[in-house]
Amino acid sequence: VVEDVFREGINRLGEDEQRVVEALAVLGQPVPSSAIDFLLQPFVPGLDLPATLRRLGRGQIVRAVDRVKGTWGLHPIDQDFAYARLPASGRYSRKSLHHRAAEWYATVRTPRATWVTAGALEPLLREFDHLIKADLFDDAAAVLLELDADALGRMGNAPRSLAMHLQVHGRITVDRIRMLALVGLAHAYRHIGPVEQAIACYREALAMARAQQDVAVEVEALGWIGESSRRLGRLNDA
């Protein structure tokens, strides 16, 4: 019944209002109006976003989640319906909006020197998630490499790092990114196990480093193969 009510409500909205609701559905969490504006710039030129948000707020379609921070959001049921009605691909679609969302999060990253808390990493994590949903796996892997699996490991997020690496594993088309991602995947396995899997990934990265004549990655992979073997008590291999 609730879905029927919302379907009737959104179908009665003007085109600008529908696009704003869809942008919020793609973003999937409370965001400032600047994020909504960024997503819709290529698709709704000349959008009067403040007026549109006020109209939607009066109709209780969207809500001001935090007036101090200026964030807006949707009810979860509304969000699911609005997201489902978007086309899966095309110029205006879930994929294109997820790509724009990733680009927005790239603009709000904090300086690398601040990447010492989970909160500081949030824009990169969101950027990665939207690139995955846009099927841009090379770009997602590049963000993950910037994020650095070891940094996530030191913050106690090695399981999340492993999950992120597995999302791009086997989907990367750029040889160098694939090699570096293998090293990152190996680091994640080294943190949480199995260590044997870490060694297998380091060996695969080692073969790619030799093929690409990348001495730095070759040395890194060899070093961690040795250290991982030592941890397993395989001293001759180490």
Side-chain angles (χ1 to χ4, degrees):
V1 171
V2 173
E3 288 182 0
D4 287 343
V5 169
F6 181 72
R7 183 180 295 107
E8 180 67 20
I10 196 171
N11 286 338
R12 291 184 178 183
L13 294 175
E15 184 176 349
D16 287 356
E17 285 85 357
Q18 290 187 31
R19 298 295 87 83
V20 169
V21 169
E22 289 159 358
L24 280 168
V26 166
L27 286 159
Q29 65 168 4
V31 293
S33 59
S34 56
I36 306 168
D37 184 60
F38 187 95
L39 257 68
L40 294 177
Q41 280 175 6
F43 312 110
V44 192
L47 171 67
D48 185 348
L49 183 58
T52 305
L53 285 171
R54 285 195 297 272
R55 288 195 298 273
L56 289 168
R58 286 195 297 269
Q60 298 185 341
I61 301 295
V62 305
R63 59 194 180 94
V65 178
D66 188 324
R67 295 190 180 277
V68 176
K69 295 181 179 178
T71 55
W72 297 81
L74 295 173
H75 187 281
I77 294 177
D78 299 346
Q79 179 176 312
D80 291 345
F81 175 74
Y83 188 82
R85 74 196 296 271
L86 279 166
S89 59
R91 182 178 181 274
Y92 180 78
S93 63
R94 294 175 206 162
K95 285 185 179 180
S96 61
L97 288 171
H98 279 301
H99 190 188
R100 288 290 293 176
E103 291 178 332
W104 183 76
Y105 278 108
T107 70
V108 297
R109 290 186 191 181
T110 58
R112 183 177 292 272
T114 67
W115 296 0
V116 293
T117 65
L121 297 180
E122 192 65 21
L124 288 97
L125 296 170
R126 294 287 180 181
E127 182 182 355
F128 174 88
D129 289 341
H130 284 292
L131 287 169
I132 290 292
K133 290 175 182 176
D135 290 344
L136 297 171
F137 299 108
D138 288 340
D139 293 340
V143 171
L144 183 51
L145 293 176
E146 284 192 69
L147 224 165
D148 180 20
D150 263 339
L152 282 172
R154 286 194 298 273
M155 293 180 199
N157 284 325
R160 183 167 189 174
S161 171
L162 177 60
M164 292 168 71
H165 275 286
L166 291 175
Q167 283 182 278
V168 297
H169 186 59
R171 295 172 163 179
I172 304 171
T173 62
V174 179
D175 286 343
R176 178 165 177 77
I177 295 177
R178 184 164 62 245
M179 174 185 66
L180 295 174
L182 268 170
V183 175
L185 177 60
H187 288 334
Y189 278 126
R190 176 170 52 82
H191 279 297
I192 63 175
V195 178
E196 291 88 347
Q197 189 64 40
I199 294 174
C201 290
Y202 284 130
R203 290 194 181 281
E204 189 175 350
L206 174 63
M208 295 185 70
R210 287 172 171 165
Q212 296 178 37
Q213 298 183 334
D214 192 315
V215 176
V217 174
E218 181 179 356
V219 170
E220 181 179 7
L222 280 168
W224 284 117
I225 290 169
E227 170 59 16
S228 301
S229 299
R230 185 195 66 80
R231 292 183 187 183
L232 293 173
R234 301 172 184 172
L235 300 185
N236 288 336
D237 290 344

